[in-house]
Amino acid sequence: MECPHLGSSVCIAPDSAKFPQGSPSSWCCSVCRSNKSPWVCLTCSSVHCGRYVNGHAKKHYEDAQIPLTNHKKTEKQEKVQHTVCMDCSSYSTYCYRCDDFVVNDTKLGLVQKVREHLQNLENSAFTADRHRKRKLLENSSLNSKLLKVNGSTTALCATGLRNLGNTCFMNAILQSLSNIQQFCCYFKELPAVELRNGKTAGRRTYHTRSQGDNNVSLVEEFRKTLCALWQGSQTAFSPESLFYVVWKIMPNFRGYQQQDAHEFMRYLLDHLHLELQGGFNGVSRSVILQENSGLSASNKCCINGASTVVTAIFGGILQNEVNCLICGTESRKFDPFLDLSLDIPSQFRNKRTKNQENGPTCTLRDCLRSFTDLEELDETELYMCHKCKKKQKSTKKFWIQKLPKVLCLHLKRFHWTAYLRNKVDTYVEFPLRGLDMKCYLLEPENSGPESCLYDLAAVVVHHGSGVGSGHYTAYATHEGRWFHFNDSTVTLTDEETVVKAKAYILFYVERQAKSGSDKL
């Protein structure tokens, strides 16, 4: 957006000595001392936290406007307005009066000069910190990223994802998908796509909500994000470029309000699938799928066109069987799916913890059985019988005709009442390994002994009472160890902690080799 307020708001010298010491991305708010999401005012160089921390940057702007509204404006007050600030991590510029990100600059190019100065400060701080750590390692042979696990020293190379403002729903899904090895490896092996040329080649772009949709690739930004995880080169990665693309191609997720992680996952997979079908810049991805993924045609499930890695890994097929209760006519329909949404049976909804005594514990098998059991449709879902030539009462039953390589199970924890969308906070017991899906298959006799067994790879958890609030985290296993991903914080955890979680989305991976694990 072209901002008209830069001339009156950008007043600080680019190399101002008023800037705090240290790395700009770690500067502390002058009010609450938080170092999360620091923003620097381009009028007075004061540092405050962003609106999704404690909102002191916005309050700084609002406080500066009080004399302009309550008293007669002076010439100096008209010029100094504290309306423009810069993100100390991404160096994006924001105007509170325009309520949008800014792409233009002053006539003297002060915004770009401040940006370059902050980048130099960040690089200098990073270099000094790296030198200090190297010296510490040389002197003491200690590495702060080495942990002792089961008596042996191993590297903790997990990388967190910074919260960009209620983006925990996205972070939890990205961390989960990054631990689906076959899916993640496919994207990491894709060749990089150069999106910029000409004058902008080699320069970082600063995205705003006003820019067009040209030259954005969800596949490319998703690939970059996955490549940044598990490298161990940084403690947290900022997925701002991916989030920008999400804003552009998924309008439902624009803004900074809390979103539904399951809804985001479906939109993400659908759009990855669509973009992979068409390739990018004229280069088809289907050849890479055949050469690099090792997925045979028999493992592919086509949804909305040709098969991609999305449908090859997450794609399964349901048989929907409907029987008319009047004439007995049977109707069968095959539906592809990327995930299964399971109701939590109502008889278990009062039990909120694993050790609570009132009543039996709901298990994942109970939810799967509820999904596949014969169901009589109510009056609002009458079936149009082609033999009776009118809508009739009927029964419905689902069978799984083909299981996917990765079985994604979504527990329906949110439901609508008359006016509100409430959360079902029931604890659902789920297995870490050996989930047996054979009894839900349409033709179980045609499946091998190991092809129906699944082991857990990741779990997304919603903490809080409602879909529009709360917080999302994820648990995932990597090289035999379980990790807890809470935005930028990643910690080692254990199986006992994972099984106590109130799962919202479960990712199960098809077992490839025999192991002596118990079945569900």
Side-chain angles (χ1 to χ4, degrees):
M1 186 211 70
E2 298 281 337
C3 174
H5 309 113
L6 295 183
S8 60
S9 295
V10 182
C11 306
I12 59 175
D15 57 349
S16 174
K18 294 181 180 180
F19 288 132
Q21 297 295 317
S23 167
S25 62
S26 301
W27 285 348
C28 295
C29 172
S30 60
V31 178
C32 65
R33 307 309 299 167
S34 171
N35 63 353
K36 294 181 180 179
S37 185
W39 291 75
V40 59
C41 175
L42 297 189
T43 301
C44 63
S45 73
S46 60
V47 177
H48 296 89
C49 59
R51 67 175 69 191
Y52 296 105
V53 182
N54 290 313
H56 289 126
K58 185 178 182 182
K59 190 173 188 305
H60 173 70
Y61 155 71
E62 292 171 345
D63 290 346
Q65 309 313 305
I66 294 175
L68 300 181
T69 56
N70 294 346
H71 305 285
K72 186 176 180 180
K73 296 178 183 178
T74 66
E75 183 178 351
K76 184 176 180 180
Q77 285 173 332
E78 286 180 351
K79 291 182 179 179
V80 182
Q81 298 178 3
H82 303 266
T83 61
V84 180
C85 57
M86 181 176 290
D87 187 334
C88 299
S89 297
S90 67
Y91 314 115
S92 300
T93 310
Y94 191 87
C95 176
Y96 280 110
R97 289 188 68 183
C98 298
D99 193 25
D100 203 350
F101 288 93
V102 176
V103 294
N104 58 318
D105 204 338
T106 64
K107 292 180 180 179
L108 298 177
L110 292 179
V111 174
Q112 182 60 25
K113 289 179 181 178
V114 171
R115 181 178 290 131
E116 291 173 353
H117 181 63
L118 294 187
Q119 288 175 322
N120 290 335
L121 290 177
E122 185 76 27
N123 292 336
S124 299
F126 175 77
T127 302
D129 186 58
R130 186 171 57 180
H131 178 72
R132 181 184 62 82
K133 288 182 178 179
R134 185 182 297 126
K135 191 173 182 180
L136 179 64
L137 286 172
E138 291 172 354
N139 294 338
S140 62
S141 299
L142 294 175
N143 189 339
S144 61
K145 298 205 73 162
L146 293 182
L147 298 176
K148 282 216 167 185
V149 181
N150 296 330
S152 62
T153 305
T154 55
L156 175 62
C157 55
T159 300
L161 288 168
R162 291 194 177 97
N163 193 315
L164 307 178
N166 282 332
T167 56
C168 56
F169 69 93
M170 177 178 75
N171 292 346
I173 293 298
L174 293 176
Q175 293 286 14
S176 298
L177 294 178
S178 76
N179 287 285
I180 309 296
Q181 294 304 314
Q182 196 171 14
F183 184 70
C184 178
C185 288
Y186 168 82
F187 285 94
K188 289 166 71 173
E189 291 171 3
L190 288 176
V193 176
E194 183 59 49
L195 299 182
R196 301 186 297 278
N197 50 40
K199 294 182 179 180
T200 60
R203 289 176 53 190
R204 182 172 181 174
T205 57
Y206 299 89
H207 305 304
T208 77
R209 289 173 283 183
S210 307
Q211 288 177 268
D213 292 342
N214 296 330
N215 291 342
V216 295
S217 168
L218 181 64
V219 170
E220 174 66 3
E221 295 304 333
F222 185 67
R223 182 194 68 82
K224 290 178 182 177
T225 301
L226 294 182
C227 287
L229 302 176
W230 296 107
Q231 289 184 345
S233 58
Q234 53 187 334
T235 57
F237 173 75
S238 180
E240 57 188 10
S241 296
L242 175 62
F243 193 42
Y244 158 74
V245 176
V246 168
W247 273 28
K248 289 299 178 185
I249 66 177
M250 306 180 201
N252 290 3
F253 297 96
R254 290 177 183 171
Y256 294 98
Q257 64 272 25
Q258 182 65 280
Q259 301 281 0
D260 187 340
H262 174 251
E263 185 180 358
F264 171 76
M265 182 196 73
R266 285 306 313 268
Y267 270 89
L268 177 67
L269 292 179
D270 287 346
H271 280 83
L272 287 172
H273 172 64
L274 290 173
E275 188 174 319
L276 287 168
Q277 281 182 312
F280 193 81
N281 285 358
V283 180
S284 174
R285 308 283 193 178
S286 59
V287 176
I288 302 172
L289 172 64
Q290 294 170 3
E291 293 179 353
N292 294 351
S293 69
L295 298 170
S296 64
S298 62
N299 288 327
K300 298 176 184 177
C301 172
C302 297
I303 299 176
N304 297 328
S307 174
T308 66
V309 68
V310 175
T311 54
I313 290 180
F314 290 94
I317 300 175
L318 279 177
Q319 177 181 288
N320 184 358
E321 187 176 290
V322 180
N323 284 278
C324 175
L325 292 177
I326 305 303
C327 68
T329 299
E330 184 180 276
S331 173
R332 294 179 182 177
K333 180 182 177 184
F334 291 95
D335 296 313
F337 68 87
L338 295 179
D339 70 306
L340 297 178
S341 291
L342 311 178
D343 282 304
I344 297 176
S346 57
Q347 65 266 31
F348 298 105
R349 292 189 179 180
N350 291 328
K351 189 160 184 177
R352 299 193 173 189
T353 63
K354 184 175 182 179
N355 298 323
Q356 191 174 330
E357 294 183 358
N358 59 330
T361 299
C362 180
T363 67
L364 191 57
R365 178 181 287 276
D366 293 318
C367 299
L368 286 165
R369 188 185 298 116
S370 176
F371 179 78
T372 57
D373 276 352
L374 188 69
E375 172 191 4
E376 184 173 337
L377 300 177
D378 59 31
E379 296 291 337
T380 62
E381 300 178 292
L382 292 179
Y383 161 67
M384 182 63 189
C385 179
H386 297 291
K387 187 174 181 179
C388 299
K389 305 296 184 183
K390 63 178 181 178
K391 291 185 176 181
Q392 302 282 27
K393 286 187 175 182
S394 59
T395 60
K396 179 180 71 173
K397 181 174 176 59
F398 284 119
W399 294 96
I400 298 177
Q401 197 266 340
K402 174 188 172 296
L403 283 165
K405 285 190 166 294
V406 174
L407 179 64
C408 179
L409 301 176
H410 161 235
L411 300 180
K412 295 162 74 172
R413 291 197 173 274
F414 301 105
H415 67 97
W416 287 101
T417 59
Y419 303 102
L420 300 172
R421 195 179 186 189
N422 293 329
K423 181 180 178 181
V424 179
D425 206 29
T426 304
Y427 171 76
V428 177
E429 189 175 74
F430 54 89
L432 291 180
R433 52 187 67 87
L435 172 63
D436 193 348
M437 295 295 293
K438 192 168 187 176
C439 61
Y440 309 108
L441 281 177
L442 180 64
E443 299 174 339
E445 65 277 3
N446 294 334
S447 60
E450 293 289 321
S451 62
C452 300
L453 292 180
Y454 287 81
D455 298 323
L456 189 65
V459 187
V460 173
V461 181
H462 178 268
H463 311 267
S465 58
V467 67
S469 60
H471 182 61
Y472 286 99
T473 65
Y475 293 95
T477 180
H478 184 83
E479 296 180 351
R481 294 181 296 166
W482 280 96
F483 292 85
H484 183 219
F485 299 92
N486 183 4
D487 287 336
S488 57
T489 303
V490 183
T491 54
L492 274 170
T493 188
D494 51 39
E495 293 184 352
E496 289 74 17
T497 302
V498 176
V499 296
K500 292 177 182 177
K502 293 181 181 178
Y504 182 46
I505 305 172
L506 297 147
F507 296 88
Y508 281 94
V509 177
E510 182 183 39
R511 184 179 293 178
Q512 298 298 322
K514 288 186 178 182
S515 65
S517 304
D518 296 331
K519 297 181 181 180
L520 172 65

